Amino acid sequence: MSSNPAPASARQHILYADQLWRQQRFFVGALVVLGLAMTGFWAYRGELNQTSNLLYIGYIPLGLVIGAVFLFYKYRSYVEPMDDGLKVSAMRSSVLIDYDTIRSVKVQPLKVAFPDNRKRLVAPMMKPLLERPALFVRLRNDESALAVIKKTLGARVVWEDTLALPIKDADAVSWEISSRLPERLGQNQGGGRRRKRRR
């Protein structure tokens, strides 16, 4: 029996999607509850077959569909260090970034990625994330590759030649990425001692 502890999962959900779900789940719940309540009310009165009252039945599937979309977005939005590269997934697609293309990895407050000329990208519901630690992954300045990454992940995530990813445990993912970088590039400025490079 091995004495080495099993490694924790390195996959971390990107908190933009999580924050959106937290903000909108009450609206989703209200749609479903209102639809059920009004459907029951008009059914009790025997007036459910009227066109104006049938509208409330539609609230139920509408709320469920909207909720499912938000949950799918939350499930699909994540960052995961893998053996062959850093995977960053968005709602409809993902990118796999080779470790050789990563120049550095840091942990800094998310607000660093939103100077004055980028503050328009911060939706009001995202403001609570600005003070939280985020993973900053700086890439080699390959314009064509960066254009593809930006198109896939969006301008909010890609800042110049850097990915800015608010995640729950940025330090853990930063250490995991650093352990996989070529020795000349591996670094982590999120605090603490660097772990030994994997063999």
Side-chain angles (χ1 to χ4, degrees):
M1 182 175 178
S2 174
S3 60
N4 294 329
S9 173
R11 177 181 291 194
Q12 294 273 342
H13 288 284
I14 299 171
L15 296 181
Y16 289 131
D18 182 72
Q19 185 71 12
L20 182 61
W21 164 247
R22 289 175 181 272
Q23 292 283 339
Q24 298 299 322
R25 60 186 176 180
F26 300 105
F27 169 71
V28 170
L31 275 179
V32 175
V33 170
L34 179 62
L36 288 171
M38 294 306 295
T39 298
F41 174 75
W42 292 119
Y44 175 77
R45 296 190 57 176
E47 301 176 14
L48 187 59
N49 58 347
Q50 295 183 17
T51 303
S52 59
N53 297 337
L54 287 173
L55 176 66
Y56 291 105
I57 299 178
Y59 283 15
I60 302 170
L62 178 61
L64 293 175
V65 168
I66 294 174
V69 170
F70 287 141
L71 284 174
F72 181 72
Y73 176 40
K74 178 181 175 181
Y75 171 77
R76 283 282 301 165
S77 299
Y78 64 86
V79 57
E80 182 177 14
M82 305 178 72
D83 289 339
D84 51 351
L86 177 65
K87 184 176 183 180
V88 184
S89 177
M91 185 169 182
R92 291 181 295 177
S93 56
S94 61
V95 294
L96 186 65
I97 302 169
D98 192 285
Y99 292 118
D100 285 338
T101 67
I102 295 176
R103 297 175 64 182
S104 65
V105 56
K106 299 180 181 180
V107 176
Q108 301 180 105
L110 180 62
K111 64 182 179 182
V112 172
F114 294 96
D116 290 341
N117 62 336
R118 279 174 48 87
K119 284 185 177 178
R120 59 184 176 78
L121 297 175
V122 182
M125 69 178 61
M126 302 304 177
K127 289 183 178 179
L129 298 176
L130 293 179
E131 299 296 330
R132 297 192 57 164
L135 182 72
F136 283 71
V137 181
R138 190 179 181 192
L139 307 177
R140 291 188 177 279
N141 195 12
D142 183 330
E143 291 186 6
S144 60
L146 286 171
V148 172
I149 293 172
K150 187 173 183 178
K151 182 177 180 181
T152 302
L153 302 179
R156 183 183 287 120
V157 171
V158 184
W159 173 46
E160 297 179 348
D161 60 351
T162 302
L163 305 184
L165 303 163
I167 54 180
K168 185 176 181 180
D169 193 347
D171 280 315
V173 177
S174 181
W175 285 122
E176 185 67 24
I177 295 171
S178 293
S179 71
R180 298 169 183 265
L181 294 181
E183 197 65 43
R184 67 184 185 279
L185 299 177
Q187 58 178 299
N188 181 296
Q189 298 182 24
R193 293 182 61 188
R194 184 166 178 243
R195 294 175 182 173
K196 293 183 178 180
R197 179 172 165 82
R198 289 185 176 182
R199 299 297 180 185

